[in-house]
Amino acid sequence: NIGFEHSDEELMGMIFSQMCLQHNLHEGLKKFGNRGREAALGEFKQMHLRDAFKPRHASALTPVEKKKALGTIVLIEEKQDGRVKGRAVADGRKQREDIPKEDAASPTSALESIILTSIIEAKENRHVVVADIPNAFIQTDMEGDPVFMKLTGKAAEILVQNAPELYRQYITLENGRVVLYVEALKAIYGTLKAALLFYKKLVGDFKSIGFVVNPYDPCVANKMINGKQFTIVWHVDDLKFSHADKEETDKFIDWLRENYEDKLIGEIKVSQGKVHDYLGMKLDYSSPGDVKINMVEYVKKMIEVFPEERTTTATTPAALHLFEVRDDVKLLDEEQAMIFHTIVAKGLFLCK
């Protein structure tokens, strides 16, 4: 989605594509046991400590509010280093009826902006830094009408474990199932306005320290420092910034850490030097005056996650049968369809 705004369909597509590559709470607990439970507990603890939501009595909500309450999806995954991580997201599909598309879409940087700024950085021999803001949405206040979420079963029980003195009194039963309603106070991932709200916060913070947003790309900002241009380009919470003076990029890293990092939400991941991984692209500034861009590792990961064995090759995707519709084949199931959607979307980005 580089260079495009996130529509509600794209946002939900990303979430459910992730679900295909990770485990839901039930599957995660079954596969990882106590490690999975601790991962989910840690995720809810972080959200609790960040005041991401407040509990609400079911009796205080209207039937309409209960009906519109967003489901809560807990994903469990094992990282490459063996750590098991949990992530709680909202199922924001119910918001589609109430929030116009134009009110939920968030700008993202154009691919051309990323490449052009990289060329400028190489030609001007700038010091380049790539940084990732941790748990960006959870640092952003929710705005507008109240957004209610509904936790059921194990998810509700695990949240209660973090602060039983607070949450236990709000537990109720619906059709014999444990239910806990909460009101979202932060822009929880999966709610349709989350990305847009974070964008507004980030831009406001940049402007407060003198940066000016580029009129042609709302995800590029510049500032003149000591007669040299400082440039930031960003895609949601992934930043690339540069200046001729390393001292200035170091100051900006300190500013990011002061405003977007603490023990509860994690550390900002920073990459400095001549080679960076940014949005699936490897940016190599090793040769003076040049930048080399490749996506070999990106392709390797696409192949790794594809679930079927590959036994043949193709010289081009534009075969003669490309636009032929076959009515005699079995449709993909939901999980296969989501994986196919993810691979196609990654392929489109790769080819752009």
Side-chain angles (χ1 to χ4, degrees):
N1 292 326
I2 301 290
F4 296 94
E5 296 182 337
H6 290 309
S7 67
D8 51 359
E9 290 86 359
E10 290 167 341
L11 183 59
M12 298 316 302
M14 287 188 281
I15 293 173
F16 288 100
S17 294
Q18 283 186 314
M19 290 178 66
C20 294
L21 303 176
Q22 303 177 47
H23 302 274
N24 63 35
L25 181 58
H26 176 75
E27 294 170 345
L29 294 177
K30 185 176 180 180
K31 179 173 182 177
F32 300 112
N34 286 334
R35 289 200 302 156
R37 190 175 190 86
E38 288 300 316
L41 189 66
E43 171 71 354
F44 278 125
K45 180 179 181 180
Q46 182 182 110
M47 297 179 80
H48 165 70
L49 294 175
R50 293 292 301 180
D51 296 323
F53 38 58
K54 64 179 180 181
R56 296 291 299 267
H57 284 294
S59 59
L61 303 182
T62 67
V64 172
E65 289 172 334
K66 289 182 182 179
K67 184 178 180 179
K68 291 186 176 182
L70 308 181
T72 304
I73 303 166
V74 183
L75 305 175
I76 307 292
E77 67 171 329
E78 186 173 20
K79 298 291 187 179
Q80 291 185 350
D81 59 6
R83 292 177 299 127
V84 177
K85 297 284 291 182
R87 188 176 193 185
V89 303
D91 181 353
R93 289 176 292 179
K94 291 182 180 179
Q95 292 184 302
R96 292 175 178 175
E97 300 176 359
D98 301 320
I99 300 178
K101 183 177 180 179
E102 59 273 15
D103 291 344
S106 172
T108 58
S109 53
L111 180 60
E112 292 81 0
S113 297
I114 297 169
I115 294 175
L116 286 172
T117 55
S118 298
I119 293 171
I120 293 170
E121 288 158 354
K123 291 299 181 183
E124 296 184 356
N125 194 30
R126 295 190 190 186
H127 183 73
V128 181
V129 181
V130 166
D132 178 20
I133 297 176
N135 298 292
F137 294 171
I138 214 71
Q139 303 188 51
T140 307
D141 292 335
M142 183 65 78
E143 296 179 5
D145 296 332
V147 176
F148 300 105
M149 296 174 59
K150 180 179 180 180
L151 292 85
T152 60
K154 292 290 185 182
E157 294 172 9
I158 292 174
L159 175 59
V160 170
Q161 288 182 36
N162 277 293
E165 69 285 355
L166 172 63
Y167 295 110
R168 191 180 301 281
Q169 60 182 306
Y170 294 90
I171 286 288
T172 187
L173 291 176
E174 292 184 0
N175 299 319
R177 188 173 177 83
V178 173
V179 172
L180 174 62
Y181 288 97
V182 297
E183 179 181 346
L185 303 181
K186 300 292 184 179
I188 294 172
Y189 190 77
T191 54
L192 295 191
K193 286 188 175 182
L196 179 59
L197 291 174
F198 175 69
Y199 170 82
K200 290 179 177 179
K201 171 180 169 56
L202 192 65
V203 168
D205 288 344
F206 288 162
K207 287 181 177 180
S208 72
I209 55 174
F211 281 90
V212 178
V213 175
N214 187 287
Y216 299 100
D217 189 329
C219 291
V220 176
N222 295 292
K223 178 182 179 180
M224 296 302 294
I225 302 177
N226 300 327
K228 301 288 185 178
Q229 188 182 60
F230 193 120
T231 300
I232 314 169
V233 57
W234 69 95
H235 179 82
V236 191
D237 53 3
D238 292 306
L239 281 60
K240 179 171 74 75
F241 51 92
S242 62
H243 189 269
D245 188 351
K246 182 179 183 298
E247 182 179 347
E248 294 303 325
T249 56
D250 286 343
K251 289 179 182 178
F252 189 74
I253 292 171
D254 292 339
W255 178 85
L256 283 174
R257 285 177 170 153
E258 182 179 347
N259 288 274
Y260 289 94
E261 176 184 284
D262 66 37
K263 293 180 180 179
L264 299 180
I265 59 178
E267 298 180 353
I268 290 178
K269 298 176 183 177
V270 174
S271 168
Q272 301 192 66
K274 295 297 184 181
V275 182
H276 304 276
D277 289 317
Y278 187 65
L279 304 178
M281 296 173 282
K282 177 164 284 187
L283 307 178
D284 187 342
Y285 298 88
S286 300
S287 179
D290 295 325
V291 58
K292 298 177 182 177
I293 303 174
N294 79 69
M295 300 183 72
V296 174
E297 292 301 319
Y298 182 89
V299 175
K300 287 181 179 178
K301 289 180 180 179
M302 285 177 61
I303 295 172
E304 288 174 5
V305 301
F306 195 74
E308 297 184 16
E309 184 180 356
R310 295 158 304 283
T311 58
T312 60
T313 60
T315 56
T316 173
L320 294 176
H321 62 268
L322 181 61
F323 296 106
E324 293 180 7
V325 178
R326 295 173 57 189
D327 297 321
D328 59 336
V329 294
K330 182 180 178 182
L331 295 177
L332 298 176
D333 61 35
E334 185 175 359
E335 180 175 349
Q336 290 176 317
M338 285 297 180
I339 293 175
F340 178 75
H341 169 84
T342 300
I343 296 298
V344 170
K346 286 179 176 290
L348 289 171
F349 172 49
L350 174 67
C351 295
K352 185 175 181 181

